[in-house]
């Protein structure tokens, strides 16, 4: 393996899946090191002493954490195949903006809605939907099949947790977030993204395993919330 | 003004100062629009409907929010003068990583230590210092005068809140965060950064105004914390 690329990841983490998508779309060979997050390895603690989280990309022994930063690094390092970020500086900047928004508002909002119970739940669901409204408007404003334009790019990979993980969150949280009536374009994007390349489905973890892990995780979050209330 | 660059900002916000530094280092002429954050303008709400925060850069009428994203945009758009990000993809990625860390851990940690009172305070101060430890180690590992190397760059601007705002937080919070004994290199960097270009001091707001605003802000945070406890 001439490039010496390794990925420390967890197969059920959407943050790791986005890195695997990028490496495979770029045809970069890599060694995958599965991390047990309940018993973190000395390797992870050595290479990500700041956050102690996956994913960490190792390239020629140099470690790089944080999935959105890794995506940009992959795009800048292996430029030839499948460019991920747009070339235009303004479009690049807005792709970064929406990727961050996706993680901080949509993903965190969906997670909160999934966790919350009782009176809070309806408010959290509506709040999460209001974040997804911005993504819907974004697809509408740009009028392209994907967030990246006519083919998938950085922002599609960054939002690539939506198809599988929102579906799982909807089941665990007994709720509907991405209704086709309110989000027709996001709904369509979800299908198009899944069909955009065989690589997309190939890297996704099995739904039943994600569901099982997520059920335990939400139960843990609810216990914490009960302790703090 | 051929470039039609406008900056919607608040003169007491360190997130806005970093943009002014970048524009001036690049010799980009711009119009500055001061925002009253206690009574947000229709302009701000129009151009940053998602977060409703400053800074927002307007370039040929196109709005861009989020200060770290704006810094990268400025660097990619006006390439000739004062390059901000390193050229090497790994160094670029790590600059992005530490800038994000500076905002999320160091700045938020310092703010928490400033706000906290009673038993919590000592813990918050030590936790903030542990974040600054990483920056100290970073300066030590790279052995250069600035985070950007031999001259200031993106990461120096991103951490440029430290000299003035930490100083103010230390006064308002009756604490010491960046002691010269524990942080000799960060201490030296703080002085070097301030002297690196006349532009740095020129864009800083008057200390007494920052102190006054910050005192009110911390008092507000303490009332909120008292309500929630």
């Amino acid at each position: 393996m001439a490039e010496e690329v390794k990925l420390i990841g967890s197969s059920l983490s959407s943050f790791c899946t986005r890195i695997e998508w990028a490496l495979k779309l770029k045809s970069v060979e890599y060694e995958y090191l599965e991390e047990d997050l309940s018993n973190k390895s000395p390797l992870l603690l050595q290479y990500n002493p700041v956050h102690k989280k996956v994913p960490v990309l190792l390239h020629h022994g140099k470690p790089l954490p944080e999935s959105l930063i890794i995506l940009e690094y992959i795009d800048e390092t292996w430029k030839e195949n499948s460019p991920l970020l747009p070339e235009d500086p303004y479009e690049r900047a807005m792709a970064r903006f929406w990727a961050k928004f996706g993680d901080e508002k949509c993903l965190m909002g969906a997670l909160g809605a999934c966790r919350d119970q009782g009176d809070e739940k309806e408010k959290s669901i509506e709040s999460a939907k209001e974040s997804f409204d911005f993504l819907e408007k974004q697809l509408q404003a740009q009028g392209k099949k994907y967030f990246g334009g006519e083919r998938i790019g950085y922002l599609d990979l960054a939002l690539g947790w939506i198809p599988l993980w929102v579906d799982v969150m909807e089941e665990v949280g007994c709720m509907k977030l991405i209704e086709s009536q309110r989000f027709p374009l996001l709904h369509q994007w979800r299908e198009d993204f899944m069909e955009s390349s065989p690589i997309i489905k190939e890297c996704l973890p099995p739904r039943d395993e994600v569901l099982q892990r997520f059920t335990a995780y939400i139960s843990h979050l609810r216990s914490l919330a009960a302790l703090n209330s």
Side-chain angles (χ1 to χ4, degrees), chain A:
Chain A
M1 206 172 294
E3 289 278 9
E4 279 183 37
V5 180
K6 295 178 187 182
L7 175 64
I8 308 176
S10 163
S11 62
L12 302 183
S13 156
S14 63
F15 299 111
C16 298
T17 303
R18 59 171 67 145
I19 306 306
E20 294 208 82
W21 283 330
L23 290 170
K24 292 203 179 192
L25 285 169
K26 296 272 190 186
S27 304
V28 177
E29 284 187 53
Y30 64 97
E31 183 184 349
Y32 180 82
L33 307 169
E34 177 72 14
E35 182 67 26
D36 174 3
L37 294 178
S38 64
N39 180 24
K40 293 178 179 177
S41 70
L43 200 74
L44 177 65
L45 304 181
Q46 175 190 346
Y47 286 127
N48 190 1
V50 178
H51 300 301
K52 306 177 181 70
K53 286 181 181 170
V54 292
V56 177
L57 189 79
L58 290 167
H59 189 196
H60 295 308
K62 289 201 267 186
L64 186 60
E66 298 250 12
S67 66
L68 293 180
I69 293 175
I70 298 172
L71 279 188
E72 286 216 50
Y73 175 77
I74 290 171
D75 200 33
E76 290 182 359
T77 302
W78 294 281
K79 289 180 188 165
E80 298 73 21
N81 294 338
S82 307
L84 297 179
L85 276 155
E87 280 193 26
D88 174 72
Y90 184 75
E91 287 178 26
R92 290 165 74 82
M94 289 313 292
R96 289 178 186 122
F97 174 80
W98 289 114
K100 188 167 181 273
F101 176 81
D103 277 2
E104 292 178 359
K105 297 292 175 180
C106 299
L107 180 51
M108 288 301 115
L111 203 59
C114 186
R115 174 203 61 209
D116 285 350
Q117 293 171 293
D119 297 344
E120 284 302 301
K121 195 170 188 80
E122 281 310 308
K123 265 195 273 179
S124 306
I125 290 174
E126 183 51 31
S127 168
K129 285 181 182 173
E130 284 167 9
S131 293
F132 285 112
D133 281 339
F134 282 109
L135 299 184
E136 179 75 14
K137 274 186 213 156
Q138 195 53 22
L139 282 170
Q140 193 175 21
Q142 88 181 19
K144 300 275 169 68
K145 190 169 181 180
Y146 301 111
F147 287 101
E150 295 308 333
R151 52 192 232 174
I152 58 170
Y154 166 86
L155 184 53
D156 297 279
L157 300 188
L159 296 172
W161 54 274
I162 293 177
L164 174 58
W165 278 268
V166 166
D167 188 56
V168 165
M169 283 191 250
E170 287 178 333
E171 180 171 340
V172 176
C174 305
M175 60 184 182
K176 190 75 189 162
L177 287 177
I178 305 191
E179 296 147 339
S180 56
Q181 206 172 355
R182 180 162 169 174
F183 303 102
L185 299 175
L186 200 51
H187 219 258
Q188 184 62 45
W189 168 82
R190 193 157 75 164
E191 286 177 29
D192 292 339
F193 174 70
M194 291 294 282
E195 300 301 330
S196 61
S197 155
I199 287 167
I200 300 303
K201 283 188 186 163
E202 190 185 309
C203 296
L204 280 178
R207 189 183 184 282
D208 55 347
E209 284 182 32
V210 176
L211 181 67
Q212 192 184 4
R213 173 78 68 94
F214 217 83
T215 304
Y217 178 56
I218 290 297
S219 162
H220 170 68
L221 290 184
R222 285 178 182 165
S223 313
L224 284 181
L227 271 177
N228 291 329
S229 67

